[in-house]
Amino acid sequence: MLDIAPKFQALLVFIEHRFYGESKPHNLAKTMGYLNSQQALADYAILIRSLKQNLSSESSPVVVFGGSYGGMLAAWFRLKYPHITIGALASSAPILQFDKIVPSSSFYDVVSQDFKDASLNCFEVIKKSWRELEVFSTMKDGLQELSKKFRTCKDLHAVYLASRWLETAYTDTAMVNYPTPANFMAPLPAYPVEEVRHVSEYKVVYFLYWLIHNETSSYNRCARSSTGFPLEASNLDRAFAAASLYYNYSCSENCFDIENQTDPHGLNGWYWQACTEMVMPISCSNQSMFQPFEYDEKVDQEDCLKEYGVKPRPHWITTEFGGHRIEMVLKRFGINIIFSNGMQDPWSREGVLKNISSSIIALVTKKGAHHTDLRAATKDDPEWLKEQRRQEVAEIEKWISEYYSDLRQEEQANVLHTNHHCCCTSDSDSAFSSSATMARRSGDCMRCLVIFAVVSALVVCGPALYWKFNKGFVGSTRTNSLCPPCVCDCPPPLSLLQIAPGLANLSITDCGSDDPELKQEMEKQFVDLLTEELKLQEAVADEHSRHMNVTLAEAKRVASQYQKEAEKCNAATEICESARERAEALLIKERKITSLWEKRARQSGWEGE
């Protein structure tokens, strides 16, 4: 987003979700009921409208972006508030992980497949390590031995804590299997799953087996060794080393606080939502590398009642936002949504992976991880990621272009409607205001203003003209009257002749001579109208100037780009020319050597071919 915002001359706004980060009420425990997706979407709608009003940009289009839960919100916001946003980019948005729409084992299936693709041996090592871990629960002093093996800061009180610690490392590593080094969930190298595979090859690039058994060893000291595992290393030893890659890639931790893990990513609010509305059933099949388990709705309810005193609502999300038969539903009323997914992301199979219509599209990459496309661009980004982003930008450009096209058509339609309304109205104020609107939107201000001013003048002066015409008619029938006919040949006021000399030829210029108040009001209205005309002309000129500045800036940008390309071509040409010159020099040198050897051969009796 930071990379493409300048291209669209866009204001980038990051809106914090209620009850996350610093957006928390004082009495958190008593207000948790207000933490839900519907309230969050309403927050966004109100904030966006208020922001546009304060910035005097109410006609500016809005595009929403989001990844993971944010991607779900982006898609739902587009569907719930189409009058506020023209489109949404929903990256890694598992909007189908509800109400049994997709298999509940999808998440762990993808994680297992990621590790299997990296190394089948690695997959098998992790799969076998769980059984070895369970043995410690039956051993005398097993927890103390396990604590020593896992280098915990404090002794463990349950084996499942170590199991959860390992599982989190594998799932999070798969989620952030980015093509470049990142520090999203934890500091990690590029393609960290590929780094973990060294475990299955009897090597640990960043963490040594002897580190597990050496109480005095330093991570900083062992950091870049390639020492392999000894033959007696167990699967659990290798699994621990693999997990250590996630938790301690920087080699800064001397021990692991497995039992008292903190909440560095602020997920406490999500646990509440998972117990109320975000009920996403997850299970683990026998085919995965994890310990298999089934989703138990009853146990889930009991845990939520115990923790928060609430029961989950498993059908609420599909009731509020839909999800079942999504292709059929969205095809009929949805528009302008991009669903992007990388198939290495554990949440990918719970998202939209096929195009629904020409404007609701799915961009799917084979190697992408969790919302990889929303990460900042780097020089090391692979070509498939660059292409995905190019497609997203092209789609957004189309949305914006269509929006402004529709806006122009609406304005033109309003102009035509205004023209019809003004020519037929009998209300002078409507005529004046409508003519000003038409002048503002059409740009043909002077002609429209005069036409509607005449129409308005006829309406306003109608009673006076009728009175004058009737008086003249009566006078003509009384030719024998003692009173001479009235001569009414008063010129219009000089100020009006100077302002609009074309009106001097109209027969109605002195229609208010018999009504001084009407005459004064007419003159005031003409002056106000033409003042407004000048303001509108100035506004049109300013708009044209702004448009030219934008066009000029774009032209400069394109010219700069072509200049850079030309410089690259020139540099390449110079390199080729230099290479050609060196080749010619070498050829001349070889010819001389060949000639010398040929001369010596002939001297030795060689007669040649």
Side-chain angles (χ1 to χ4, degrees):
M1 293 179 285
L2 292 171
D3 299 320
I4 68 174
K7 174 182 178 64
F8 294 105
Q9 296 182 332
L11 172 67
L12 191 58
V13 181
F14 290 89
I15 307 176
E16 189 169 73
H17 193 296
R18 58 167 56 198
F19 288 80
Y20 288 88
E22 299 180 2
S23 300
K24 295 178 181 177
H26 295 295
N27 195 343
L28 184 62
K30 293 184 178 181
T31 55
M32 288 295 287
Y34 294 102
L35 170 54
N36 57 65
S37 56
Q38 301 89 63
Q39 294 278 9
L41 294 178
D43 291 342
Y44 301 158
I46 293 173
L47 192 147
I48 291 173
R49 289 193 61 183
S50 176
L51 186 64
K52 292 177 68 175
Q53 290 172 359
N54 292 338
L55 296 177
S56 300
S57 59
E58 296 186 57
S59 62
S60 297
V62 174
V63 177
V64 293
F65 298 75
S68 194
Y69 172 49
M72 299 159 70
L73 292 176
W76 292 338
F77 190 82
R78 170 59 183 158
L79 298 176
K80 286 288 185 179
Y81 296 93
H83 57 291
I84 293 182
T85 176
I86 66 169
L89 171 55
S91 180
S92 299
I95 63 171
L96 303 182
Q97 184 66 28
F98 299 96
D99 221 356
K100 301 179 181 179
I101 298 176
V102 298
S104 59
S105 62
S106 298
F107 181 89
Y108 286 103
D109 288 345
V110 175
V111 177
S112 300
Q113 190 63 49
D114 289 346
F115 280 84
K116 183 181 288 188
D117 290 343
S119 168
L120 180 59
N121 190 26
C122 179
F123 173 89
E124 293 295 338
V125 164
I126 295 174
K127 188 176 181 68
K128 294 175 181 177
S129 68
W130 305 111
R131 183 173 298 177
E132 295 180 12
L133 181 61
E134 288 299 324
V135 172
F136 284 90
S137 63
T138 61
M139 292 172 52
K140 182 181 179 180
D141 299 328
L143 289 176
Q144 288 80 358
E145 290 296 324
L146 183 62
S147 300
K148 181 179 179 181
K149 182 181 287 288
F150 276 34
R151 299 191 59 80
T152 61
C153 300
K154 297 180 180 180
D155 286 345
L156 295 172
H157 291 84
V159 172
Y160 86 89
L161 294 171
S163 175
R164 184 183 63 183
W165 186 80
L166 292 173
E167 180 182 306
T168 300
Y170 304 144
T171 56
D172 287 1
T173 300
M175 282 178 56
V176 296
N177 193 36
Y178 298 131
T180 54
N183 190 22
F184 176 48
M185 302 288 285
L188 289 172
Y191 292 119
V193 174
E194 291 290 330
E195 294 293 331
V196 171
R197 74 182 176 85
H198 291 293
V199 173
S200 64
E201 297 172 355
Y202 299 95
K203 290 181 181 180
V204 179
V205 177
Y206 301 107
F207 301 92
L208 299 179
Y209 172 77
W210 59 262
L211 174 65
I212 303 172
H213 302 282
N214 188 348
E215 296 291 345
T216 61
S217 62
S218 167
Y219 276 80
N220 291 323
R221 213 168 50 234
C222 75
R224 295 296 180 261
S225 173
S226 60
T227 302
F229 279 116
L231 295 177
E232 67 271 16
S234 66
N235 290 315
L236 186 59
D237 292 332
R238 305 174 199 277
F240 168 74
S244 298
L245 177 72
Y246 174 77
Y247 289 112
N248 197 23
Y249 175 69
S250 60
C251 294
S252 60
E253 299 293 333
N254 292 320
C255 65
F256 298 110
D257 191 3
I258 296 178
E259 190 151 332
N260 299 310
Q261 294 190 49
T262 59
D263 182 27
H265 308 297
L267 297 179
N268 283 333
W270 179 254
Y271 300 145
W272 162 267
Q273 289 186 263
C275 272
T276 53
E277 58 170 355
M278 295 293 172
V279 183
M280 307 171 74
I282 292 182
S283 64
C284 190
S285 67
N286 290 318
Q287 285 70 41
S288 78
M289 67 181 190
F290 298 94
Q291 295 172 295
F293 65 88
E294 294 293 333
Y295 173 72
D296 193 325
E297 184 176 346
K298 183 178 179 180
V299 172
D300 198 21
Q301 288 186 2
E302 292 174 353
D303 290 342
C304 290
L305 280 171
K306 180 180 178 181
E307 184 69 23
Y308 299 107
V310 296
K311 283 187 177 182
R313 296 179 293 170
H315 310 296
W316 173 245
I317 289 297
T318 53
T319 302
E320 176 70 11
F321 301 112
H324 292 287
R325 297 179 290 111
I326 190 170
E327 294 183 8
M328 180 184 299
V329 174
L330 291 189
K331 183 184 294 185
R332 297 184 182 278
F333 82 96
I335 188 174
N336 291 3
I337 302 177
I338 299 173
F339 291 102
S340 65
N341 282 284
M343 295 310 294
Q344 290 185 346
D345 177 20
W347 296 107
S348 59
R349 297 186 187 180
E350 296 90 334
V352 177
L353 302 178
K354 294 181 180 180
N355 291 348
I356 294 177
S357 67
S358 60
S359 62
I360 301 182
I361 64 173
L363 298 180
V364 180
T365 58
K366 182 179 180 181
K367 291 189 176 182
H370 203 48
H371 49 65
T372 308
D373 52 330
L374 294 187
R375 296 188 59 77
T378 70
K379 61 182 180 62
D380 298 321
D381 287 339
E383 189 58 35
W384 60 263
L385 179 56
K386 296 178 181 178
E387 177 59 26
Q388 181 186 17
R389 288 170 175 159
R390 281 193 289 266
Q391 293 181 35
E392 292 171 350
V393 170
E395 196 69 17
I396 294 172
E397 284 181 326
K398 186 176 73 172
W399 297 346
I400 296 175
S401 176
E402 291 174 349
Y403 169 80
Y404 280 116
S405 176
D406 293 342
L407 191 64
R408 286 191 294 270
Q409 292 180 11
E410 180 184 359
E411 291 179 344
Q412 292 171 1
N414 289 339
V415 168
L416 295 176
H417 175 73
T418 301
N419 188 6
H420 174 75
H421 174 71
C422 291
C423 291
C424 299
T425 185
S426 60
D427 182 81
S428 60
D429 291 337
S430 296
F432 279 114
S433 63
S434 298
S435 65
T437 301
M438 179 177 180
R440 183 182 295 109
R441 293 179 175 174
S442 67
D444 194 8
C445 302
M446 181 63 72
R447 180 164 46 190
C448 294
L449 201 59
V450 172
I451 292 174
F452 291 126
V454 171
V455 172
S456 178
L458 288 172
V459 174
V460 174
C461 298
L465 288 173
Y466 173 78
W467 177 83
K468 180 181 176 104
F469 177 79
N470 186 51
K471 184 175 69 173
F473 178 78
V474 173
S476 65
T477 58
R478 298 177 180 177
T479 53
N480 297 326
S481 174
L482 297 177
C483 298
C486 296
V487 178
C488 188
D489 192 19
C490 303
L494 182 60
S495 58
L496 287 179
L497 284 174
Q498 292 174 341
I499 296 174
L503 296 179
N505 296 325
L506 299 175
S507 60
I508 62 172
T509 53
D510 62 340
C511 65
S513 59
D514 295 294
D515 190 341
E517 293 182 358
L518 179 61
K519 176 180 178 181
Q520 182 178 2
E521 180 64 22
M522 284 183 57
E523 182 174 352
K524 181 177 179 297
Q525 288 181 350
F526 274 122
V527 172
D528 292 344
L529 185 62
L530 294 174
T531 300
E532 179 68 15
E533 153 69 9
L534 294 176
K535 292 180 180 179
L536 295 176
Q537 288 281 20
E538 183 179 1
V540 171
D542 290 342
E543 177 63 20
H544 288 170
S545 176
R546 187 192 68 80
H547 179 71
M548 291 301 297
N549 289 336
V550 172
T551 304
L552 179 60
E554 180 65 16
K556 289 181 178 179
R557 185 188 68 80
V558 174
S560 176
Q561 183 177 355
Y562 283 130
Q563 179 65 27
K564 292 179 180 178
E565 293 299 327
E567 291 175 357
K568 291 180 181 178
C569 292
N570 290 337
T573 302
E574 292 176 358
I575 292 173
C576 292
E577 182 64 24
S578 176
R580 185 188 64 79
E581 293 175 354
R582 290 196 300 271
E584 287 183 351
L586 290 173
L587 179 61
I588 293 173
K589 183 177 180 181
E590 289 296 329
R591 285 177 176 173
K592 290 180 178 179
I593 295 174
T594 301
S595 177
L596 178 62
W597 281 104
E598 182 179 351
K599 181 178 180 182
R600 291 179 179 177
R602 291 185 185 280
Q603 290 175 352
S604 299
W606 180 68
E607 298 180 355
E609 296 180 356

